Amino acid sequence: MRSNKFKILASASLLTIGFYANAQHSPTQPFQGKIGKTLAETKESRPQTQPKAPEGAPNIIWILIDDIGYGASTAFGGLIETPNFDRLANQGLRYTNFHTAAYCAPTRAALLTGRNTHSAHFGFFASTSYDTPGYDGYLPFEKATAAEILRENGYNTFAVGKYHLTHPSDATQAGPFNRWPTGRGFDHFYGFPPETGAGDQWHPILYRDTQREPEDPKGRHVNELFADEAINFIAGQKAAAPDKPFFLYFAPGAVHAPHQVSKVWIDKYKGKFDAGWDKYRETVLKNQIAKGVVPAGTTLPPANPGVKPWEKLSEDEKKVYLRHMEVYAGFLSQTDHEIGRIIDYVEKLGQLDNTLIALLIGDNGAEGGAKEFGRFITTNPDDTREQVLAQEVKNLDKLGTESSSALWPDGWAAATNTPFRFYKSYGNFEGGTHDPLILFYPKKIKDKGGIRNQYSYVNDILPTTIELAGVKVPTVINGYPQEPIEGTSLGYTIDPANKGVAERHNIQYQEMTGSHSLYKDGWKASFPHDRTKRIPASEERWYLYNVREDFNEQNDLAAKYPEKVKELAEAFEAEAWKYNVYPLKDDWAVKNQTVFGNSKKIVLYKDNFLSRSAAPKFYNDSYSITANAEVTSTTQGVLFSFGNVLSGISLYVKDKKLAFAYNADGKLIEIKSEKEIPAGKVSLKAEVSYNNDGKNKSVALFINGQPVASKNLGKISNASSGYDGLEVGRDLGTPVTPAYKAPFAFTGKLNEVVLELIETPKLAEEPAK
């Protein structure tokens, strides 16, 4: 059992003190005055309807950066300039032994609730949920969010950016809306669709509270929109109630793919990384040791599988990969700049000294999802690597623009994860789970620029906030009895005299897609399981590291200390059963589902929209799309679209022809009718089906029931990704195909679009890429 005084308070005292009488959803209080027949005989008594924050309670800002490694930001020795991160670190505390959950949604569930990821039902994503308590993707109401707790303590609460914790089944305009951010304690929300994990930076799909926002007419970058909205929320609140504290959860999509930012930020880094990723690792490790955020004597681990030495790359590869890094660096620096605007505004209000800021530089490690080559433009699936590279060199100026959906190659992900091995998604490796944390609170942090090395985990941020803000956790919130908080407050580390005190969070499991580990008192048992096959199955076993002496897991001690391996493996087993980790969900497999409920068919109408995760997963099966329309000889536009330039499909009319685009992971196949579409009422249909072997796909087009084109797609992946969702009569955001310019709205009369599953031989489930 973890020795932890504050944990006991959080799970006992804080939950029994409670103040349900003052809660937002408290019942009407008994009248305390006197009722007479006349006003002269009556004594008024006003019930307390709003909770009041403790005297001097700080404003609270949580900032969560997406998909970034330990060695990226200058605040922790990286080479990407982040002056505002540095500012917070130099006036606050750097935590060098902080951990996240290897993937975004699980980290966010643990952060917002102060519980373990599987305990909060987010062992993976809600969009790939599995119907057991650890994986169903329904955040329990008995485990209140920070917003729900702080609102009950008299705070205004705002969420801006990426939420990613609403189940797709609840994420449509049919609701229910109680699992949207505004249903989980936030007074206002402005950000990506609440069930999605990413969005296009130039043409984002955004929601205000529960309603979709129109696209920004000025075409501004989403980071700028997010910062503007955060400032507007704060400004409006302080104008109305200047003494009332606020809680801002600021979680931009940055620097998650697609890596997109304006040229002025990209060009800032022109030539800065020309020495390559091997030299980057060497330089950053020296910086980290000098800063004290990595122990002296730490050495670089061997290169990750599939990462070539920089000098072994061709000149064209170097050109493309350098531009990838310049885009990413510009993206991060621009993110830092927009965050700086928020900090500057709070300072302008005279409130910064009494503002507690937790800056989490990463919800997991750097993303290695594009593997060896990276990606940014659509190509033909039959192109060779040489042909793709030639196209990338030719289109290099598009990288980072609205015409790209960029994700860098593994080499840069590995470099920015210095000094750790592997990437995001690996629950057993520090490269997936070890991120920088900065705490800033001038009113209470006196050891400015101090470093803390105690082990900590993402569920520690909520209890830390509760302790430092002096607030209480009600026993009941919104009618739900509250279960214990599972994190550990870091409040004990704040005082300069305690910088070397023993850690209180001394045991923590990790698990993600089957890879898992157990940390206990400086020892770590690690069990790799790799759905991407970088690590062969033959290497799946328990490894043992003394991470107090071996910061980045280079010296496996399993053979030397088998009893310690046994102890930690048994401890993992106990934690796994305790916190809903079993069964291990070791891949991305999504159960095939009907289109909606038990229906194999849905009817859609012009301007209907469903965000990506909330859209029916029709793409796992064979399907048809039939548009019933009225056209003339000049009619054109999109009938049905799903996804974007990264991955998706589009059925559209152009040059009097019916056309269909199938885009899977940037591999684009176009097909169009041989015949022109006749004027008048027409039925326009695309049918995507598996061939008799149940593996290869084909597409066929029909006009008024007559076949007009067909093409074998081969073993191409499902067109199931992208960020732009399902649209009828247009393709907002970035288009599925460069054959037209978004939104390419349909100019004829679109009566209905029917999406239907069709019976064909079933595809054997393929491993995720």
Side-chain angles (χ1 to χ4, degrees), residues 648-706:
I649 58 172
S650 178
L651 180 65
Y652 63 96
V653 174
K654 184 179 180 184
D655 300 329
K656 301 181 183 180
K657 302 286 184 71
L658 179 63
F660 185 77
Y662 190 102
N663 187 343
D665 297 327
K667 304 297 184 182
L668 176 64
I669 296 175
E670 295 266 13
I671 179 175
K672 65 180 179 179
S673 63
E674 300 168 359
K675 297 180 180 180
E676 293 184 352
I677 301 171
K681 290 185 177 181
V682 290
S683 171
L684 307 172
K685 180 179 180 181
E687 188 174 284
V688 177
S689 58
Y690 294 117
N691 298 337
N692 290 332
D693 61 6
K695 296 180 180 179
N696 289 280
K697 296 186 186 72
S698 62
V699 61
L701 301 183
F702 302 84
I703 298 176
N704 292 328
Q706 299 300 310

Side-chain angles (χ1 to χ4, degrees), residues 277-278 281 306-308 371-372 408-416 423:
W277 51 53
D278 296 320
R281 294 175 76 209
V307 177
K308 292 181 182 178
K371 294 213 170 173
E372 183 180 354
W408 58 10
D410 278 1
W412 285 120
T416 54
Y423 317 97

Side-chain angles (χ1 to χ4, degrees), residues 450-467:
I451 291 174
R452 300 295 184 265
N453 300 315
Q454 292 87 354
Y455 183 94
S456 55
Y457 183 64
V458 64
N459 64 6
D460 297 341
I461 302 302
L462 176 56
T464 301
T465 299
I466 290 168
E467 180 178 1

Side-chain angles (χ1 to χ4, degrees), residues 724-763:
D724 288 355
L726 185 157
E727 299 269 5
V728 179
R730 60 191 179 184
D731 185 359
L732 289 175
T734 52
V736 172
T737 169
Y740 55 77
K741 184 175 176 60
F744 201 45
F746 187 65
T747 58
K749 184 179 180 182
L750 185 55
N751 296 319
E752 65 178 16
V753 173
V754 179
L755 174 63
E756 186 172 11
L757 300 185
I758 57 178
E759 296 294 330
T760 58
K762 194 168 185 176
L763 176 72

Side-chain angles (χ1 to χ4, degrees), residues 34-53:
K34 175 186 176 184
I35 303 293
K37 287 186 177 182
T38 66
L39 290 179
E41 297 171 341
T42 299
K43 180 182 178 182
E44 295 179 272
S45 176
R46 187 182 190 84
Q48 183 176 342
T49 58
Q50 295 294 330
K52 184 175 174 57

Side-chain angles (χ1 to χ4, degrees), residues 412-457:
W412 285 120
T416 54
N417 263 348
T418 299
F420 303 119
R421 295 186 293 158
F422 287 90
Y423 317 97
K424 164 185 175 177
S425 84
Y426 290 87
N428 64 299
F429 283 111
E430 297 293 286
T433 63
H434 199 137
D435 288 291
L437 169 66
I438 295 167
L439 289 185
F440 170 94
Y441 187 12
K443 186 176 177 181
K444 290 191 177 179
I445 293 177
K446 305 306 178 186
D447 186 16
K448 299 188 185 303
I451 291 174
R452 300 295 184 265
N453 300 315
Q454 292 87 354
Y455 183 94
S456 55
Y457 183 64

